[in-house]
Amino acid sequence: MSEPRPRTPLFSSGSIVRKRPPATPARLAVGAVLFGLCALGAWLTIPRPDVRVINASGQIVTVSVQGGGVAATQKLGVDRVWAVEQDFAPGTLRFQVKLPDRPEVSSALTSRTLPLRVAIAEDGQIALR
C-alpha cells in the first residue's frame, strides 16, 4: 500500500513563485524587443501638427493662419509654441500677427512640404525656423 500524500493548497504564494520560468538572457532579450516594437508603434501613431508657430517676439501676440480653405487663430504668450491642429495642404499659408502696440502684420509663406516651423520676430514678421 502507498502512503497518502499530505494535501497542499492548489494555489499558494510559494507554488506560484516556484512555477514561474527563470529569467534567462534570451527571454529578457525577447521582452526588450517586444517592448521596443510597441513603443515604436505608439510613437508612429502620435498625430503631428502641420504647422508650429514659435513666439520669439517678446510680447503677447494673436496669430491667425490661413491656407487651403482652413483657418485657425490663437493668442500666444511670450516664448510659447503653438502646434496648429488643423490639416493644411502644402502651398501658400497666410499669417496675420497682431502685436499689442502695433498694427497687424501680414506674411505669406509658400511651402511644398509639411510640417512647417515658423517663428514670429520682434517686428511681427514670420520667418522659417
Side-chain angles (χ1 to χ4, degrees):
M1 278 183 67
S2 64
E3 292 184 20
R5 292 188 334 190
R7 296 185 79 184
T8 59
L10 186 59
F11 297 107
S12 66
S13 62
S15 67
I16 291 173
V17 171
R18 283 181 294 210
K19 291 181 182 179
R20 184 171 30 170
T24 62
R27 287 177 191 255
L28 292 174
V30 168
V33 167
L34 289 175
F35 178 79
L37 289 174
C38 290
L40 177 65
W43 182 77
L44 289 174
T45 58
I46 294 173
R48 306 253 183 320
D50 288 339
V51 178
R52 282 190 190 270
V53 180
I54 302 163
N55 183 9
S57 68
Q59 307 176 55
I60 296 174
V61 297
T62 302
V63 183
S64 296
V65 183
Q66 300 170 353
V70 181
T73 302
Q74 178 76 28
K75 188 171 187 174
L76 283 178
V78 178
D79 295 330
R80 295 292 178 191
V81 177
W82 175 33
V84 184
E85 303 265 333
Q86 278 72 14
D87 291 328
F88 292 102
T92 302
L93 294 176
R94 290 175 192 77
F95 295 89
Q96 294 179 338
V97 179
K98 174 67 176 124
L99 298 167
D101 57 348
R102 295 188 186 143
E104 193 170 272
V105 178
S106 295
S107 303
L109 291 176
T110 302
S111 173
R112 294 181 189 203
T113 61
L114 295 174
L116 185 67
R117 292 180 58 157
V118 296
I120 303 170
E122 291 177 2
D123 60 353
Q125 292 293 322
I126 297 287
L128 288 174
R129 183 83 182 204

